[in-house]
């Protein structure tokens, strides 16, 4: 059979290395065309948020260049994938259509429907290009999904992880290439105002940027101190690989295997390297949960929380989003999120607890804000993590474990460096008051150039009394 092109529908696997669908297409030995579809229609509330649109713009530009360098083509289209994928397959005269699987209920439904439509005379195949283990591959002894992380992690460790597949370096383009949109015309970048300015010095979207960050991080002290330093936002020692992983610019198999090799070679101490691997498994656990309990995207997994009484005060919610709550560690986190599209994991837990348990605002509002502002926003990880923070998810932090924003700040940002980085108006405040400026005597505030209520807000709520209120509300649903 000559010139029987293969169509590879790329989704959250925007790479040429260890890409099972693309590898299989290249190995077919026929011309290959790649397709990316921005599908806001079917995605509904999971249409890409603003920060991710910025990322998508840049990653698609680099992906196109990488594919073209290998001799292939990338077609871009916008709209309902259920219509576009078969249309492009027809225009191309594709004999085969391949993709890597996704795991949200609506995505699975879409893939099933497409498989049926496309199978009419074509070979249609899907692959695992996103996870170490697919959600149905790890079950409890009695069958069914794990709801507790530790035994799940044990199972992950007991299973072999396959070898990464060779990078696709050579593709042949089809004779007739269907038309492509221009990514510039999609207007994914913010302009008025350009709120993503702060992203540019921090991130390099694309496969090359992912590989580079991963390699560089492996050379830092981050992996060798991970179990301790991962909790310290001031040190900023974590990998920051999350957005690259989310867009599939690097494969999780590659990362897992390379960290395993470093541990075996004695280059990363086992007690630290293993914790990093276990964090990758937390991501998988989120996929496991949301695959088996898709209601989690909208509802608390623990049903009793459906009756929880929220205040949902709009002004307080706005103060939280803007980093103007008067609690420095919370404000630093929320401002980091806005400026960089990222927030340190420890601080995500602190701001989440503050929203839910101090402000008594529904965790779903926080989840939606993160969805719009995080460059790594991931349906599974974001949903499962918010439910964890709110105490209503699987293996969640118990509701009565309420983070104290002052002691959390003092413990994990002991010199206040993280706060000072993101709340520069507090930069001159002595360490003793950096996490509780309202306790500073007037002359200290004056020397630091701060007038509370003018240069920096007074706390919008009193943590002690809100803590009691939150516990009382919890008692009411117990
Ligand atoms: C409220 C809340 C919301 C979150 N939303 C997201 C989200 O939308 N997308 C997302 O990728 N992560 C989310 N996380 C998990 C975690 O905060 C980020 O993965 C991590 O901070 C990313 O930084 P890093 O790449 O430097 O992580 P590292 O510490 O270097 O970890 C390496 C990788 O492991 C994975 N990982 C680490 N911790 C977790 C975790 N707790 N749960 C799931 N995966 C994890 C990520 O892929 C991460 O890139 C959320 C956590 C909380 C508390």
């Amino acid at each position: 059979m000559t010139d029987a092109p293969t169509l590879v529908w790329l989704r959250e696997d925007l790479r040429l290395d260890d890409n099972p669908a693309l590898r299989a297409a290249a190995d077919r030995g026929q011309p290959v065309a790649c397709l990316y579809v921005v599908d806001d229609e079917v995605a509904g509330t999971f249409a890409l948020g603003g920060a991710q649109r910025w990322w998508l713009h840049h990653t698609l530009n680099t992906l196109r260049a990488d594919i073209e360098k290998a001799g292939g083509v990338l077609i871009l289209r916008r709209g309902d994938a259920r219509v576009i994928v078969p249309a492009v397959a027809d225009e191309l005269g594709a004999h085969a259509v391949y993709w890597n699987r996704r795991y949200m209920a609506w995505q699975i439904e879409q893939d099933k429907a497409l498989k049926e439509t496309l199978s009419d005379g074509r070979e249609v195949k899907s692959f695992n290009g996103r996870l170490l283990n697919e959600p149905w591959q790890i079950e409890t002894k009695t069958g069914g999904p794990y709801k507790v992380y530790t035994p799940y992690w044990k199972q992950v460790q007991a299973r072999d992880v396959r070898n990464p597949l060779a990078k696709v370096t050579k593709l042949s383009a089809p004779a007739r290439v269907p038309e492509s949109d221009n990514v510039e015309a999609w207007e994914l970048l913010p302009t008025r105002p350009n709120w993503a300015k702060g992203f540019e010095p921090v991130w390099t979207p694309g496969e090359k940027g992912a590989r580079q960050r991963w390699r560089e991080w492996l050379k830092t002290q981050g992996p060798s101190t991970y179990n301790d330093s991962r909790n310290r936002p001031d040190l900023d020692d974590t990998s920051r690989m999350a957005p690259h992983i989310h867009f599939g610019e690097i494969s999780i198999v590659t990362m897992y295997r390379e960290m395993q090799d470093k541990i075996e070679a004695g280059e990363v101490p086992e007690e630290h390297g293993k914790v990093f691997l276990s964090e990758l498994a937390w991501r998988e656990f989120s996929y496991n949960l949301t695959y088996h309990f898709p209601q989690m995207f909208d509802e608390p997994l623990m049903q009793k929380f459906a009756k929880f009484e929220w205040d949902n005060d709009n002004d307080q919610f706005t103060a939280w989003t803007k980093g103007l709550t008067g609690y420095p560690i919370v404000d630093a986190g929320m401002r980091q999120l806005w400026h960089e599209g990222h927030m340190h994991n420890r601080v995500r837990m602190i701001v989440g607890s503050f929203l839910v348990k101090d402000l008594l605002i529904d965790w779903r509002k926080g989840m939606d804000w993160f969805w719009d502002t995080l460059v790594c926003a991931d349906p599974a990880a974001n949903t499962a993590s918010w439910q964890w923070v709110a105490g209503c998810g699987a293996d969640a932090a118990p509701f009565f474990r309420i983070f104290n924003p002052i002691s959390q700040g003092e413990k994990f940002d002991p010199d206040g460096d993280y706060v000072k980085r993101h709340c520069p108006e507090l930069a001159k405040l002595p360490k003793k008051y950096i996490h509780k400026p309202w306790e500073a005597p007037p002359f200290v505030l004056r020397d630091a150039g701060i007038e509370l209520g003018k240069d920096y807000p007074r706390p919008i709520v009193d943590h002690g009394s809100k803590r009691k209120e939150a516990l009382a509300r919890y008692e009411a649903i117990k």
Side-chain angles (χ1 to χ4, degrees):
M1 197 174 8
T2 53
D3 198 11
T6 311
L7 180 65
V8 180
W9 178 23
L10 296 171
R11 293 105 67 94
E12 291 167 341
D13 49 352
L14 307 182
R15 64 176 184 275
L16 278 69
D17 197 14
D18 190 43
N19 185 325
L22 188 61
R23 181 70 266 165
D27 290 349
R28 245 184 114 234
Q30 300 296 329
V32 174
C34 299
L35 168 70
Y36 184 89
V37 183
V38 179
D39 185 351
D40 289 336
E41 290 165 42
V42 183
T45 52
F46 284 103
L48 288 185
Q52 291 206 313
R53 283 174 196 268
W54 176 89
W55 192 286
L56 184 68
H57 174 98
H58 294 291
T59 196
L60 285 179
N61 272 334
T62 64
L63 181 70
R64 178 197 285 258
D66 292 346
I67 290 176
E68 285 175 1
K69 196 170 158 210
V73 288
L74 175 65
I75 302 158
L76 303 177
R77 293 281 177 97
R78 184 171 212 164
D80 187 338
R82 292 168 305 188
V83 178
I84 290 173
V85 178
V88 173
D90 284 347
E91 289 168 45
L92 186 70
H95 284 220
V97 182
Y98 294 171
W99 62 72
N100 292 311
R101 287 187 279 279
R102 296 186 297 180
Y103 301 90
M104 284 176 72
W106 69 266
Q107 295 168 333
I108 295 169
E109 226 171 85
Q110 187 184 58
D111 286 1
K112 272 192 190 151
L114 270 166
K115 230 175 206 178
E116 241 184 84
T117 316
L118 291 162
S119 292
D120 189 13
R122 290 189 196 93
E123 181 191 40
V124 184
K125 274 192 187 172
S126 66
F127 303 81
N128 173 11
R130 191 150 185 77
L131 297 173
L132 301 169
N133 298 287
E134 292 183 291
W136 50 88
Q137 288 179 311
I138 293 196
E139 288 196 321
T140 62
K141 280 198 189 90
T142 51
Y146 279 103
K147 282 172 109 178
V148 179
Y149 173 75
T150 308
Y152 175 86
W153 170 224
K154 256 194 200 144
Q155 290 276 335
V156 173
Q157 290 173 89
R159 293 169 67 92
D160 287 334
V161 175
R162 67 168 172 82
N163 288 323
L165 305 170
K167 184 173 179 173
V168 170
T169 52
K170 209 167 165 8
L171 290 166
S172 68
R176 270 178 304 130
V177 179
E179 259 182 40
S180 169
D181 289 354
N182 182 339
V183 74
E184 311 295 330
W186 285 356
E187 296 181 347
L188 298 169
L189 299 178
T191 48
R192 276 174 274 161
N194 177 11
W195 45 258
K197 244 192 215 137
F199 293 11
E200 283 154 21
V202 183
W203 304 108
T204 310
E207 184 167 8
K208 202 163 145 220
R211 196 69 224 175
Q212 200 173 331
R213 183 179 287 275
W214 176 234
R215 273 211 203 102
E216 279 170 10
W217 184 71
L218 286 176
K219 282 191 228 146
T220 67
Q221 60 160 12
S224 300
T225 57
Y226 186 77
N227 194 23
D228 308 314
S229 57
R230 76 197 167 101
N231 273 313
R232 292 278 302 272
D234 54 336
L235 302 179
D236 200 12
D237 263 354
T238 62
S239 73
R240 286 188 176 232
M241 288 302 293
H244 297 292
I245 296 172
H246 173 75
F247 281 92
E249 297 169 352
I250 189 164
S251 114
I252 210 72
V253 168
T254 303
M255 286 178 65
Y256 198 92
R257 288 295 300 259
E258 286 185 9
M259 181 55 87
Q260 275 185 326
D261 290 349
K262 293 257 169 209
I263 297 169
E264 267 164 39
E267 291 170 37
V268 172
E270 188 170 2
E271 74 264 32
H272 295 288
K274 267 245 170 115
V275 176
F276 183 80
L277 295 179
S278 78
E279 291 300 331
L280 299 183
W282 265 106
R283 171 178 173 272
E284 303 254 325
F285 187 55
S286 308
Y287 276 80
N288 163 69
L289 289 174
T290 51
Y291 172 81
H292 289 288
F293 308 101
Q295 71 274 24
M296 278 182 78
F297 291 116
D298 315 300
E299 294 165 25
L301 189 60
M302 288 188 212
Q303 267 305 305
K304 65 181 179 197
F305 277 90
K307 287 191 266 148
F308 195 90
E309 194 195 332
W310 304 107
D311 285 352
N312 288 338
D313 181 292
N314 277 336
D315 291 342
Q316 290 185 352
F317 180 68
T318 304
W320 180 80
T321 59
K322 292 188 172 198
L324 292 171
T325 67
Y327 285 93
I329 191 80
V330 174
D331 294 341
M334 296 309 292
R335 294 189 207 180
Q336 181 186 24
L337 176 60
W338 183 254
H339 288 299
E340 297 180 10
H342 171 80
M343 192 195 301
H344 190 278
N345 180 59
R346 167 60 48 181
V347 192
R348 291 186 203 200
M349 293 193 278
I350 299 170
V351 305
S353 175
F354 187 81
L355 182 82
V356 172
K357 299 172 186 178
D358 285 61
L359 302 183
L360 295 166
I361 291 177
D362 193 329
W363 55 274
R364 283 163 282 211
K365 288 192 72 152
M367 181 173 81
D368 291 349
W369 182 255
F370 271 33
W371 181 257
D372 202 27
T373 51
L374 273 176
V375 284
C376 71
D378 181 89
N382 199 32
T383 304
S385 299
W386 271 99
Q387 294 230 16
W388 186 91
V389 167
C392 57
D395 207 2
F399 186 88
F400 55 78
R401 192 176 152 217
I402 297 179
F403 281 63
N404 178 326
I406 305 153
S407 55
Q408 287 282 316
E410 288 170 345
K411 185 166 177 198
F412 297 112
D413 181 28
D415 296 322
D417 291 342
Y418 177 76
V419 162
K420 290 178 187 175
R421 205 176 302 147
H422 299 288
C423 303
E425 69 271 37
L426 299 177
K428 291 195 184 134
L429 206 57
K431 183 171 141 180
K432 186 172 173 196
Y433 301 110
I434 191 75
H435 292 292
K436 44 186 177 194
W438 61 93
E439 285 191 9
F443 75 90
V444 172
L445 287 171
R446 204 171 42 244
D447 286 355
I450 301 163
E451 190 183 325
L452 280 186
K454 184 166 161 262
D455 303 304
Y456 184 74
R458 294 178 192 285
I460 57 169
V461 291
D462 171 59
H463 173 68
S465 43
K466 287 307 251 189
R467 182 176 183 282
K468 283 190 199 132
E469 177 62 31
L471 292 175
R473 303 245 180 131
Y474 178 59
E475 277 303 309
I477 59 154
K478 240 167 69 176

